[in-house]
Amino acid sequence: MIDGDRRKAEILKALQQAEKPISATSFAKEFGVSRQIVVGDVALLRAAGENIIATARGYLLERESTKLISKIAVQHSPEQTAEELHTIVAHGGEVIDVVVEHPLYGELVGGLHLTTQQDVEAFVAEAKRLEVTLLSELTAGIHLHTIAYEAIENLTEIKQALSEKGILYEENRHV
């Protein structure tokens, strides 16, 4: 078993080389430690200034992007989650996060980093498997997504498609 400093260096190195998220469980198996030890290592790396993002599928190192970024407001039932996410990705968007406004904590943000239809399927399957409450359920389905996209046309297409599905939150909409 390697010591904590070397383990943290190896975690950081793996994240720098990774194209996809790496789970704490994967790191734990690799280093022969508990998942909680890895979670602590990552917390220490983040506290030291490393831009490590925790997603539902594992850890990522945040990288500079040339993509455009916008927030969109949406509202839908939990059953429409897959449809919403698939729509955004199908029109060239990356779903970076979900944001809800909580009465006690203020803004709550959940990292998603969904870039492919397979990412969406994996997220939806994991939510179902874990039987968790989605953040959007805390706010009657109203939430924001930060999305990244290549061209303004992508944003226009995403909004139009979501509007046609009744998912885009619009001023005169009553649910």
Side-chain angles (χ1 to χ4, degrees), residues 4-111:
D5 287 339
R6 184 158 167 231
R7 192 175 53 246
K8 287 188 295 244
E10 291 292 324
I11 289 170
L12 189 55
K13 181 179 175 185
L15 291 174
Q16 288 167 338
Q17 297 171 351
E19 294 293 320
K20 295 279 185 184
I22 303 173
S23 72
T25 302
S26 295
F27 281 129
K29 287 178 185 172
E30 180 180 341
F31 300 123
V33 297
S34 71
R35 182 186 175 285
Q36 198 55 43
I37 294 290
V38 172
V39 170
D41 287 344
V42 171
L44 291 171
L45 286 166
R46 292 168 92 182
E50 297 298 338
N51 289 326
I52 299 172
I53 302 166
T55 74
R57 293 167 291 124
Y59 297 112
L60 285 172
L61 199 58
E62 188 169 33
R63 294 182 168 92
E64 291 287 322
S65 175
T66 59
K67 290 184 176 182
L68 301 169
I69 306 257
S70 293
K71 288 194 185 293
I72 57 171
V74 291
Q75 182 177 24
H76 59 79
S77 69
E79 295 76 27
Q80 291 175 292
T81 300
E83 179 182 17
E84 171 211 35
L85 298 173
H86 278 301
T87 300
I88 294 168
V89 171
H91 292 281
E94 172 187 351
V95 186
I96 296 172
D97 62 27
V98 57
V99 182
V100 297
E101 188 176 318
H102 191 274
L104 179 60
Y105 298 113
E107 192 172 83
L108 297 178
V109 180

